[in-house]
Amino acid sequence: MFFFCFLLLAPHPLFAQKSGGQTVGLRIIVVDTAAEADQVLARLNKGEDFAAIAKQVSIDPNAGNGGYIGQVELASLRAELRDGLQNVGPGQLSAVIRIPTGYAILQVQSVSSPQQINPPANQAPGPSPHQPDISATAPGSVLPLSAAGTIRYSPLVGGKGEADLAFRSVPKPEGWAQDLQEMCKIRKSSLAMVIDQLLDNLAHPDSGDLGPKNPLDVIEMRYALANLYSYQGDMAKAIEQWEAAYVVATEQLPPAMAELENVLAIANLHKAEMENDVYTKPGVRCLFPPTAGMRYAKTESLQKSIQYALKYLARRPDVLDVKWILNLDYMALGQYPDGVPKELLIPRSAFQSPESVGRFLDVAPEAGIHIVSDSGGLIADDFENNGLLDIVTSDYDQCAAMHFFHNNGDGTFADHTAESGLQNQLGGLNMIQADYNNDGCLDILVLRGAWEFPQRKSLLRNNCDGTFSDVTVPAGLADPPTSTQTAVWADIDNDGYLDLFVGNEKGPSQLFHNNGDGTFKDISHSAGVDRIAFTKGVVAADFDNDGYVDFYVSNLNGNNFLYRNNHDGTFTDVAAEAGVQKPWQSFATWFFDYDNDGFPDLFVTSYYVSTEETLRSYLGLTPNAETLKLYRNMGDGTFRDVTAQTHLDRVFMPMGANFGDIDNDGFLDIYLGTGNPTYGSVLPNVLLHNKDGKFFTDITASSGTGELHKGHAVAFADLGNNGHEDLLEEVGGAVPGDRHAFRLFKNPGNDNDWITVHLVGVKSNRSAIGARIKVTVQDGEQPPRAIYRTVGSGGSFGGSPLQQHIGLGKSARIVDLEVWWPSTQTRQNFSGVKKNQFIEIKEFEKNYTVLERHSFQLPTPHDDAAASDAPPPPASRPDASSAATSQSAASPGDRRNR
């Protein structure tokens, strides 16, 4: 029996109960065998970093956090762990301890008196004790210097950690990580086996590997079983187990009662949402703020959620994440805000938008996009070369297939998954697109294994006939399997072929050089980029404007890297000199020119899975966690932190994120899909409007884009060829019980002008990735201004089209359109280009081509409540002839970079 120790091995709300005992901050490494544990202990005793080793070898779910499991009350630990920690002081190591899941080594980070006890710290940040960033924090905490105080984390409800531990623990056939169907089988069989084992142990409490069970053992087992049921979406069985655990706690372990009340409040809210089909037919019911008259039809589970939340808040009335669950309960009842007890109300005014660009409407069902999925990847692009943007999605569920939605050209889409040959491509948390073989058709790379265990990638070659072929093995990208969700295509040596940088978790990054014959060579080590980190984002841009692409790598728990291209196949990390190493706990990231000064700026989010920290930002309270970061490129190889002056000094919980121009004003806006695996993470996704490159305003409430559930892949795309970028989002959590319908938010439209530019490389890569566009425009009587774009698919988790949609502002006239090409470092200039049209520019050509594009509107939603809140979009305003336009281009010898 291997499945007892969830209280230890998954971050758990019962860790630190405020019963007045001493607490310790702990890290843990767990390995399968005693021999492995002895080797790890020997390495630690020689001075190797605990956090680094944890990320490399530990099978514990906290490995990605360097093994940090939070502030733990000694009295709440299992007997063998308490015994192993006797006489172990701060900075010291325990001996090897045998536990049901393997062999553990603990390191004490800090010791707190009863007056210094911190709230539960699930997956709290825990940099290495050897790192200089740990200092001067709240008593007893082990947070990076940039975190101001203790961070409260919601309990993990949803079973992701338990299910993954089950998967790891079962025997597997050789080569399983390369076989997508086999991984699906293992997932199903391991869940069934572990549930049966737990039921058997609960039915025979005085037998089993560990002998008689004490109350803590029973609570652990019921909690684990409940989470496994909740993983599958069986909330009735899950709640039955949590309620049984609550009875045990009430009678025999009172310190556990409060957090189980929190868990039951979350679980009952989730059950109510499922009973009311909120995840499969969301309409306006998932949007915050709620619309007038919105209420659930079935309310029994909501009433139970309220009862448990009120019990908890009677003891701790100031805990924001529990207050938020209570407020959500009253929203679903149609009684928010008036029905919420005044002292527990989180006011609607905290989320108010200071401006409006119109209301976006979800039209996914009407458009024919009928998928309900876990979190996953999303690409919107023209895969069929017919001038229409298709939609491709992947699904984190290892048993769920990709989907290919063909654009019908009339505002609807048809599911062509079977026709495209993608029905056997299972799983995949993220995808990126590019024409890697320069045949004129966009290919897809599927990334797998993030947050879990190493799995194969899939390189899907577009056969240019509506089908795809898996060429991962012959391309040289299949082995070794890795845990990843992030990669970027870029031409590192300007040879006209796209290379591939892959960021991995608990392993070295990989850089694959494109050999130009459909194969790749791993040059990670010789290039100097094979550093081990828990990498969550990789992006590319020529940040120093020297004609060669550079890379930025964001890491969860550790400094970020900025790799400057040395022009000889090697890279140097200059993040410290450039001033872009933070946040310590990073996730989504991208380069974009937010202020249109011609230099690529850098956006990188923090990622603290704390509902409370996000709510503190909304309520204007000082955050305890790091805020996201916006770094302005100073043009001299350095960046300046402008987070505060651009009004972005806030804490969100972004996973999927991307940028686009929602109102065609020429300045790039941001959408953040928020959340984490726990069912208690129910927060509005966030739309941030760029105000003339000076600051950003939160227009989530006024725009109708505040989806409350787990936002993942995000793309901005003009799906109707009507000159307005729609907002696409794959919504869904990390487990099957948190699946959600796809969102397609239709742009309300406006009177601003635009142009869409499709670039085709000749000497440069065919996709034109890395090529730069400068549009000089005059809006009415205003002075001319420049708008800059770099060809790429956007941010983290989600691919926008490679064709560049560029907003121009009101009453615009294009003075000049300029293209710079990466391989040849040549420039083309065109004058007299008309606005509100689609054009294609080929490298070296003196003429551009006006593209015929059929324009149409996306459908109107059937949800009358949503439709009544939004004005109709303006009609598309074509302003172009169908003939090719001849203009003078700059000499190919012009080596200017801008």
Side-chain angles (χ1 to χ4, degrees):
M1 168 61 182
F2 57 82
F3 220 78
F4 276 58
C5 217
F6 284 104
L7 184 79
L8 174 66
L9 295 182
H12 197 287
L14 304 184
F15 251 110
Q17 303 300 334
K18 285 202 168 186
S19 57
Q22 189 178 53
T23 69
V24 292
L26 289 179
R27 289 185 189 271
I28 189 170
I29 293 172
V30 182
V31 292
D32 288 319
T33 67
E36 289 178 284
D38 290 339
Q39 293 174 359
V40 168
L41 189 59
R43 292 172 63 185
L44 292 169
N45 285 328
K46 290 180 180 179
E48 289 194 49
D49 181 69
F50 193 102
I53 295 177
K55 292 179 180 180
Q56 293 171 20
V57 305
S58 181
I59 63 173
D60 174 59
N62 297 290
N65 289 326
Y68 185 65
I69 55 177
Q71 289 288 320
V72 182
E73 187 172 322
L74 285 172
S76 72
L77 289 174
R78 302 183 62 88
E80 65 265 40
L81 299 175
R82 290 198 304 271
D83 293 343
L85 287 173
Q86 286 187 8
N87 302 316
V88 179
Q92 296 179 346
L93 302 168
S94 73
V96 176
I97 303 171
R98 177 71 172 98
I99 59 175
T101 50
Y103 295 83
I105 300 168
L106 298 170
Q107 183 186 58
V108 174
Q109 299 288 287
S110 60
V111 178
S112 303
S113 68
Q115 289 74 32
Q116 296 172 326
I117 295 173
N118 292 327
N122 305 328
Q123 292 188 349
S128 159
H130 305 296
Q131 295 287 348
D133 293 297
I134 297 179
S135 62
T137 60
S141 67
V142 280
L143 300 173
L145 184 62
S146 54
T150 299
I151 299 172
R152 174 182 166 81
Y153 293 81
S154 300
L156 291 188
V157 178
K160 175 62 177 165
E162 286 86 344
D164 284 351
L165 186 54
F167 188 101
R168 289 188 184 96
S169 301
V170 299
K172 302 175 186 66
E174 185 176 353
W176 64 270
Q178 298 286 353
D179 188 332
L180 302 180
Q181 282 68 33
E182 185 63 36
M183 283 190 279
C184 172
K185 293 178 183 178
I186 296 170
R187 174 67 81 186
K188 290 179 178 179
S189 63
S190 62
L191 284 171
M193 185 190 71
V194 170
I195 288 174
D196 288 344
Q197 289 179 340
L198 284 167
L199 287 170
D200 183 66
N201 275 270
L202 286 167
H204 304 90
D206 295 329
S207 63
D209 296 341
L210 298 182
K213 311 300 185 296
N214 61 41
L216 184 57
D217 289 331
V218 175
I219 291 174
E220 287 182 30
M221 286 189 290
R222 291 203 180 278
Y223 197 105
L225 183 57
N227 249 340
L228 288 167
Y229 285 137
S230 68
Y231 175 91
Q232 298 173 313
D234 193 338
M235 297 309 297
K237 287 184 177 179
I239 289 170
E240 181 182 2
Q241 293 299 324
W242 273 312
E243 287 178 338
Y246 184 62
V247 170
V248 175
T250 303
E251 296 174 351
Q252 303 182 59
L253 198 66
M257 290 173 56
E259 293 305 331
L260 281 168
E261 289 163 355
N262 188 0
V263 167
L264 282 161
I266 293 169
N268 275 285
L269 173 58
H270 193 78
K271 182 171 182 281
E273 292 175 317
M274 297 184 77
E275 290 170 338
N276 287 275
D277 296 325
V278 167
Y279 290 95
T280 56
K281 300 175 182 177
V284 299
R285 295 179 298 171
C286 292
L287 300 180
F288 184 85
T291 57
M294 192 284 289
R295 68 184 304 274
Y296 290 2
K298 300 177 182 178
T299 62
E300 181 180 354
S301 295
L302 289 174
Q303 298 293 349
K304 290 183 178 179
S305 179
I306 288 173
Q307 291 171 15
Y308 283 113
L310 289 174
K311 286 182 179 180
Y312 184 100
L313 292 166
R315 299 184 186 90
R316 301 181 64 185
D318 296 327
V319 176
L320 284 176
D321 60 307
V322 183
K323 288 171 67 174
W324 178 242
I325 293 296
L326 182 71
N327 280 254
L328 291 173
D329 289 330
Y330 280 102
M331 289 179 210
L333 287 173
Q335 298 175 16
Y336 173 87
D338 295 342
V340 184
K342 187 173 297 186
E343 69 278 10
L344 300 177
L345 175 66
I346 296 180
R348 183 177 181 138
S349 59
F351 303 87
Q352 186 173 352
S353 298
E355 60 172 336
S356 175
V357 298
R359 190 168 182 85
F360 288 70
L361 304 176
D362 177 25
V363 298
E366 294 78 11
I369 307 175
H370 300 292
I371 55 170
V372 178
S373 70
D374 288 5
S375 53
L378 160 67
I379 302 171
D381 217 320
D382 184 0
F383 289 97
E384 301 174 313
N385 288 336
N386 60 2
L388 299 170
L389 298 177
D390 309 300
I391 299 171
V392 182
T393 67
S394 65
D395 193 318
Y396 193 35
D397 185 341
Q398 287 168 312
C399 297
M402 292 176 60
H403 283 274
F404 185 98
F405 289 98
H406 163 82
N407 191 327
N408 294 326
D410 60 1
T412 67
F413 293 79
D415 193 336
H416 282 195
T417 302
E419 296 91 324
S420 66
L422 297 178
Q423 69 273 21
N424 293 320
Q425 290 293 332
L426 308 180
L429 189 57
N430 195 16
M431 304 180 297
I432 56 174
Q433 84 272 30
D435 181 3
Y436 80 93
N437 56 358
N438 287 341
D439 66 353
C441 301
L442 287 177
D443 313 295
I444 299 172
L445 179 72
V446 184
L447 302 160
R448 299 185 179 91
W451 307 109
E452 293 183 330
F453 22 78
Q455 300 171 36
R456 65 163 294 176
K457 295 176 276 289
S458 288
L459 179 61
L460 307 176
R461 186 189 64 210
N462 190 333
N463 299 319
C464 302
D465 61 0
T467 68
F468 294 81
S469 296
D470 190 330
V471 296
T472 320
V473 173
L477 298 178
D479 197 46
T482 61
S483 297
T484 182
Q485 76 201 10
T486 183
V488 65
W489 296 100
D491 184 355
I492 64 170
D493 52 3
N494 291 335
D495 66 352
Y497 290 95
L498 288 170
D499 311 299
L500 179 65
F501 193 118
V502 180
N504 294 311
E505 299 173 356
K506 295 192 288 184
S509 292
Q510 297 167 294
L511 180 58
F512 296 96
H513 183 259
N514 191 329
N515 296 321
D517 59 0
T519 68
F520 294 81
K521 178 183 179 181
D522 189 338
I523 60 169
S524 314
H525 183 68
S526 63
V529 299
D530 58 339
R531 297 171 66 180
I532 294 175
F534 201 87
T535 296
K536 304 305 294 179
V538 177
V539 288
D542 181 7
F543 84 91
D544 55 359
N545 194 27
D546 64 356
Y548 285 80
V549 70
D550 313 293
F551 295 107
Y552 185 74
V553 179
S554 74
N555 301 310
L556 194 69
N557 267 26
N559 289 327
N560 299 328
F561 313 142
L562 177 61
Y563 287 119
R564 185 187 62 212
N565 193 325
N566 298 323
H567 309 180
D568 59 2
T570 69
F571 293 80
T572 300
D573 181 12
V574 296
E577 302 95 300
V580 293
Q581 288 183 298
K582 303 303 178 188
W584 176 276
Q585 196 146 325
S586 297
F587 201 150
T589 186
W590 58 67
F591 286 101
F592 72 153
D593 190 352
Y594 83 94
D595 56 357
N596 281 328
D597 68 351
F599 293 90
D601 309 301
L602 183 58
F603 178 83
V604 55
T605 71
S606 59
Y607 188 66
Y608 290 84
V609 289
S610 170
T611 301
E612 180 142 319
E613 285 303 305
T614 299
L615 291 169
R616 291 181 67 87
S617 280
Y618 278 112
L619 294 170
L621 303 174
T622 301
N624 295 314
E626 298 169 286
T627 68
L628 56 79
K629 293 290 185 184
L630 179 61
Y631 295 109
R632 184 171 185 263
N633 192 328
M634 303 307 293
D636 60 359
T638 67
F639 293 77
R640 182 162 63 89
D641 186 342
V642 295
T643 310
Q645 75 180 59
T646 55
H647 304 176
L648 291 177
D649 50 341
R650 300 172 64 183
V651 178
F652 295 108
M653 206 186 301
M655 299 182 298
N658 214 325
F659 58 87
D661 187 353
I662 57 170
D663 57 350
N664 285 341
D665 66 352
F667 292 94
L668 291 168
D669 312 298
I670 296 171
Y671 190 75
L672 303 176
T674 63
N676 74 83
T678 179
Y679 291 170
S681 171
V682 185
L683 289 162
N685 292 206
V686 181
L687 182 58
L688 301 170
H689 183 225
N690 187 336
K691 296 290 290 182
D692 302 326
K694 298 175 182 177
F695 58 88
F696 291 80
T697 64
D698 187 339
I699 60 169
T700 307
S702 64
S703 64
T705 59
E707 165 63 55
L708 282 166
H709 295 116
K710 315 300 166 51
H712 222 262
V714 175
F716 291 79
D718 178 6
L719 295 177
N721 288 340
N722 56 30
H724 305 288
E725 286 193 305
D726 307 298
L727 177 59
L728 297 80
E729 184 177 26
E730 184 161 15
V731 184
V735 302
D738 209 7
R739 300 172 72 81
H740 196 284
F742 189 93
R743 290 288 201 181
L744 169 51
F745 291 109
K746 177 182 177 180
N747 194 310
N750 55 67
D751 292 329
N752 287 341
D753 297 304
W754 54 275
I755 189 167
T756 297
V757 182
H758 177 237
L759 298 183
V760 179
V762 177
K763 171 67 173 173
S764 299
N765 71 86
R766 182 71 177 265
S767 301
I769 288 176
R772 297 193 289 248
I773 302 170
K774 176 185 177 182
V775 181
T776 303
V777 64
Q778 186 167 14
D779 298 322
E781 301 301 320
Q782 299 297 315
R785 63 184 176 112
I787 302 168
Y788 295 87
R789 297 289 184 268
T790 300
V791 176
S793 60
S796 292
F797 283 113
S800 300
L802 296 182
Q803 67 180 27
Q804 295 299 295
H805 174 92
I806 305 171
L808 304 176
K810 188 177 292 292
S811 302
R813 179 175 66 87
I814 297 174
V815 177
D816 181 70
L817 192 155
E818 183 177 277
V819 181
W820 176 88
W821 294 93
S823 288
T824 56
Q825 300 192 24
T826 57
R827 186 179 307 274
Q828 295 164 289
N829 287 86
F830 302 95
S831 58
V833 179
K834 293 184 178 181
K835 61 190 179 183
N836 302 327
Q837 64 176 343
F838 294 78
I839 66 172
E840 180 176 275
I841 299 174
K842 289 186 178 180
E843 189 175 14
F844 304 129
E845 293 289 333
K846 295 183 179 180
N847 303 326
Y848 65 83
T849 302
V850 176
L851 299 174
E852 290 284 0
R853 289 288 185 263
H854 170 58
S855 175
F856 51 91
Q857 294 293 336
L858 297 180
T860 299
H862 296 154
D863 189 324
D864 294 335
S868 64
D869 287 336
S876 176
R877 294 174 296 133
D879 186 19
S881 67
S882 60
T885 304
S886 176
Q887 294 292 340
S888 175
S891 165
D894 184 353
R895 296 183 58 83
R896 293 176 299 156
N897 290 328
R898 296 196 183 275

